Amino acid sequence: MSQLITKGNQFYLDEKPMQIVSGTVHYFRIPRADWKDRLQKLKACGLNTVETYVAWNVHEPREGEFRFDGEYDIVHFVRLAAELGLYVIVRPGPYVCTEWDLGGLPSWLLSYPGLRLRCHDPVYLEKVDRYFDALLPRLTPLLSTNGGPIIAMQIENEYGSYGNDKIYLRHLRDGMRSRGIDVLLFTSDGDLDSMLTGGTLEGVHKTVNFGSRVEHNFGALRKHMPEGPLMCSEYWDGWFDHWGEERHRRDGKDAAAVLDEILSCGGSANIYVFAGGTNFGFMSGCNCFDKLEPIQTSYDFDAPISECGDLTDKYYEIKKVVEKHLGQAPEASFPPVAKKAYGKVTLTESADLFSNLDHLARPVFSPYPSNMEALGQDYGFILYRTYIEGPVEEQPLLIREVHDRAMVFLDGEYKGTVQRDEEAPEIKVGAPAGHRARLDILVENMGRINYGPWLEDRKGITDRVALNILSLYPQTLFGWEIYCLPLRDLSGLVYQQGKEQMPNKPAFQRGSFVVQECAATFVDMSGFTKGNVFINGKNIGRYWEKGPQKTLYVPGCFLKEGENSIVVFELHAGKPSLEFKDQPDLG
């Protein structure tokens, strides 16, 4: 039995002083086949601990249905770390942020009208308790107090950046303790007094998160914790990217120098992130400050270990600093990650979205355009259809509260796109006498807000659709057919050979390519506009011409020897071919 404790300004494990030098590796962002590789590389850098969040939404994707196997087998991940001689820090949430959809909270929480997240709302706490009942007993045998590698667990995550509900935080703390979590508990927050006041708890160790200004940030922490070991629970060695901005980069020598400063003053650190990953599928979140800022698919983070597993210059700079403080790491060498350029692939078949609606979903009939969550949908797209009975003079269309991006069609003709937090173009619709015009609105969920006060971020059309908004009496449109399109299963699509996609007509384009040796590869989406890519049925993520990301990472374990399929769901305008390259282009 081992237990991490605090004594004076020092951590102790087995009565020996311990300086924690940890690195973040997210099991839910990295294929299971690559977990051991990333952990071995972390160990070879000299770190003594690995840290991970637990994303509630991947473990309970539908209410009451839990999964802890396959790609989400956190017990296996922790045991792999133990086999390599690493300690483990677990941050189980329930909220984790991490630029992940809804900060890791499951979207079905938003199906409860009036529910409030991250507070002592009784309905929310009931759901959290059931999640803890499923998760924590799996981790309890892995605690250091039971002979396992887990030495510490976090309560919530940066809660002071969100609220000050101490009843909620105590409920989480007491719930963890009552379920057998007897290792060190801690909180982590930003450096502002309001954050460190709102997010901390009496009797629980406090830590602070930052990427620079060590003296200032540890000084801010000291005001709220006069005694105790200093720790930066998230030392930001890089940063994430939103669509439409330049890629964030941080010089490796600079990142290593700040880490050296943390360790030289006796502090401990968790390097966030140490191994980059991927927001596969629809799992990337959004920030929303003055406007919605969707996060791109790659979570490379400019980390010491890249998204595909390469060791970067930053890795070696950090390794020097870690060895300076913890001693020489065991000798280890790693061959370069195997990568292949599989070349150009022709997309020979096309399936128009509107022609295939009935192959993808059954319509739900509603008087008003319900949001995704109210209909039990988690991710993807949702199509709203109604009819305008003529005669109706052509007039402006108002779509109130689009979450997040709506393409408008009248009788199949594209009329324009309305995007949340952007000035909407004037879209006019109408119908002549004797004609019944079909109005289709295809809404894309670009990721739920993952940070800040606006977490109750329901998707789709969250208010109403109306005509004639320039008059005093806009007319609300009622009577909708709604198609939920999570795009989990594309097997029912009916493709046409040799048919090219028409501009602004959403369609699935399919091709195939032969693989003789499976290796990591990168599909270049240059020339396409916006959509998602599916390899052998697996959604590898979103692309968008706005960049900075130009290629999507395809792990070798997603491929198979022989024929492989690729499907591109393009919203606007694609091209008849694409190319697999052996190097990423992240901007």
Side-chain angles (χ1 to χ4, degrees):
M1 169 180 164
S2 299
Q3 187 159 25
L4 183 71
I5 64 171
T6 66
K7 190 186 300 182
N9 292 329
Q10 181 71 56
F11 289 118
Y12 284 83
L13 187 66
D14 292 335
E15 299 183 357
K16 296 178 183 176
M18 180 182 186
Q19 188 170 30
I20 299 169
V21 185
S22 171
T24 294
V25 180
H26 291 144
Y27 65 95
F28 49 88
R29 279 191 164 112
I30 297 169
R32 178 181 175 133
D34 294 328
W35 289 352
K36 188 172 184 178
D37 171 81
R38 304 304 192 269
L39 292 171
Q40 286 174 326
K41 288 170 177 172
L42 182 148
K43 175 76 172 180
C45 195
L47 281 68
N48 54 27
T49 306
V50 61
E51 173 272 328
T52 188
Y53 281 127
V54 182
W56 180 4
N57 54 11
V58 304
H59 293 296
E60 194 181 2
R62 282 166 292 283
E63 185 171 5
E65 298 179 16
F66 290 94
R67 58 182 184 185
F68 290 95
D69 58 356
E71 298 294 312
Y72 307 114
D73 190 348
I74 185 173
V75 169
H76 179 65
F77 179 81
V78 173
R79 285 177 174 161
L80 278 177
E83 290 171 10
L84 295 171
L86 290 166
Y87 297 109
V88 179
I89 294 172
V90 177
R91 304 166 81 185
Y95 165 85
V96 296
C97 184
T98 194
E99 293 71 59
W100 194 251
D101 187 85
L102 197 54
L105 299 172
S107 63
W108 50 258
L109 288 169
L110 300 179
S111 69
Y112 287 87
L115 179 144
R116 293 298 180 184
L117 304 173
R118 302 182 72 190
C119 67
H120 70 281
D121 178 304
V123 178
Y124 174 67
L125 291 183
E126 174 195 340
K127 311 307 179 186
V128 171
D129 286 342
R130 187 181 58 207
Y131 162 59
F132 275 8
D133 284 340
L135 171 68
L136 297 183
R138 288 174 164 85
L139 299 179
T140 302
L142 302 169
L143 302 178
S144 63
T145 49
N146 293 321
I150 299 175
I151 57 173
M153 293 181 70
Q154 181 176 287
I155 297 174
E156 239 270 358
N157 182 60
E158 294 185 322
Y159 186 69
S161 302
Y162 180 80
N164 62 355
D165 189 342
K166 301 292 186 176
I167 298 174
Y168 168 56
L169 292 181
R170 292 187 190 104
H171 183 92
L172 298 182
R173 178 197 62 193
D174 296 345
M176 293 171 76
R177 289 297 190 212
S178 68
R179 291 171 177 86
I181 304 301
D182 57 2
V183 295
L184 180 80
L185 297 181
F186 68 97
T187 57
S188 67
D189 287 283
D191 67 314
L192 297 181
D193 284 333
S194 60
M195 296 175 178
L196 286 161
T197 300
T200 57
L201 269 181
E202 67 283 354
V204 174
H205 188 67
K206 302 170 179 61
T207 69
V208 66
N209 300 338
F210 58 83
S212 60
R213 301 195 303 158
V214 177
E215 184 177 358
H216 164 82
N217 283 284
F218 277 160
L221 178 59
R222 270 286 174 247
K223 288 166 59 179
H224 295 262
M225 185 182 70
E227 183 178 78
L230 296 170
M231 181 164 179
C232 177
S233 286
E234 289 184 19
Y235 167 53
W236 305 315
D237 59 341
W239 205 246
F240 57 88
D241 297 314
H242 299 111
W243 291 111
E245 66 184 15
E246 291 187 7
R247 185 186 178 193
H248 288 89
R249 301 299 298 268
R250 183 173 186 180
D251 179 73
K253 291 183 183 297
D254 174 63
V258 175
L259 177 63
D260 187 29
E261 189 178 351
I262 293 171
L263 301 181
S264 294
C265 71
S268 291
N270 174 58
I271 301 167
Y272 187 96
V273 297
F274 195 79
T278 310
N279 299 317
F280 292 117
F282 296 115
M283 298 312 296
S284 54
C286 284
N287 284 312
C288 189
F289 299 105
D290 58 335
K291 66 176 183 176
L292 194 75
E293 297 179 287
I295 291 157
Q296 67 175 19
T297 299
S298 174
Y299 202 71
D300 177 83
F301 211 85
D302 194 31
I305 303 175
S306 75
E307 180 179 21
C308 71
D310 283 332
L311 303 183
T312 67
D313 291 342
K314 187 177 290 182
Y315 176 94
Y316 293 104
E317 294 295 335
I318 285 176
K319 180 179 171 72
K320 291 179 205 172
V321 171
V322 175
E323 291 187 330
K324 170 184 170 183
H325 292 275
L326 298 189
Q328 179 116 14
E331 287 296 323
S333 62
F334 301 96
V337 173
K339 306 181 194 69
K340 292 284 184 182
Y342 294 109
K344 290 188 176 180
V345 175
T346 301
L347 302 172
T348 58
E349 302 172 288
S350 181
D352 171 70
L353 173 66
F354 292 108
S355 302
N356 280 273
L357 280 177
D358 291 331
H359 299 294
L360 291 169
R362 292 182 179 179
V364 175
F365 297 91
S366 173
Y368 50 84
S370 298
N371 60 66
M372 279 187 178
E373 296 76 13
L375 298 173
Q377 183 180 353
D378 45 14
Y379 310 111
F381 298 78
I382 186 167
L383 186 133
Y384 301 90
R385 172 172 288 176
T386 193
Y387 296 89
I388 301 172
E389 302 281 355
V392 174
E393 292 184 7
E394 193 174 74
Q395 52 195 282
L397 179 73
L398 169 67
I399 310 173
R400 287 180 57 86
E401 296 298 322
V402 173
H403 290 195
D404 300 305
R405 189 175 188 268
M407 296 178 68
V408 179
F409 303 84
L410 189 68
D411 288 332
E413 179 185 351
Y414 175 68
K415 305 296 286 185
T417 296
V418 177
Q419 188 163 314
R420 178 177 176 178
D421 296 335
E422 292 189 3
E423 184 176 352
E426 185 176 71
I427 297 174
K428 291 187 174 182
V429 298
H435 180 65
R436 187 172 186 247
R438 190 187 79 206
L439 176 66
D440 288 313
I441 305 173
L442 178 65
V443 180
E444 179 186 2
N445 167 0
M446 294 199 293
R448 291 179 184 83
I449 293 170
N450 58 256
Y451 180 83
W454 319 120
L455 289 180
E456 282 86 6
D457 183 23
R458 294 170 176 85
K459 295 301 187 179
I461 297 175
T462 62
D463 195 331
R464 68 185 64 203
V465 180
L467 292 178
N468 199 22
I469 65 169
L470 298 182
S471 77
L472 295 176
Y473 306 105
Q475 183 183 67
T476 299
L477 298 179
F478 290 98
W480 294 87
E481 302 169 22
I482 306 174
Y483 292 82
C484 296
L485 303 170
L487 305 187
R488 277 190 288 270
D489 181 6
L490 305 182
S491 60
L493 292 173
V494 177
Y495 289 90
Q496 295 184 6
Q497 193 78 23
K499 184 179 179 181
E500 291 189 12
Q501 180 180 3
M502 300 295 291
N504 295 313
K505 295 294 178 68
F508 301 86
Q509 298 170 278
R510 184 168 70 178
S512 64
F513 58 104
V514 174
V515 169
Q516 294 180 336
E517 181 183 350
C518 297
T521 190
F522 306 87
V523 57
D524 187 352
M525 300 310 295
S526 300
F528 290 79
T529 305
K530 195 176 195 306
N532 280 70
V533 175
F534 302 80
I535 301 287
N536 295 328
K538 186 172 183 64
N539 187 341
I540 64 167
R542 301 176 173 101
Y543 64 88
W544 198 354
E545 64 179 355
K546 293 175 73 169
Q549 179 176 4
K550 298 290 194 299
T551 58
L552 292 174
Y553 169 51
V554 184
C557 60
F558 288 5
L559 303 176
K560 58 186 178 181
E561 292 184 1
E563 188 174 63
N564 293 256
S565 73
I566 180 169
V567 173
V568 178
F569 179 51
E570 167 61 48
L571 295 173
H572 292 278
K575 59 181 187 176
S577 66
L578 46 73
E579 186 174 359
F580 286 95
K581 298 183 174 181
D582 62 2
Q583 294 297 324
D585 182 355
L586 298 179

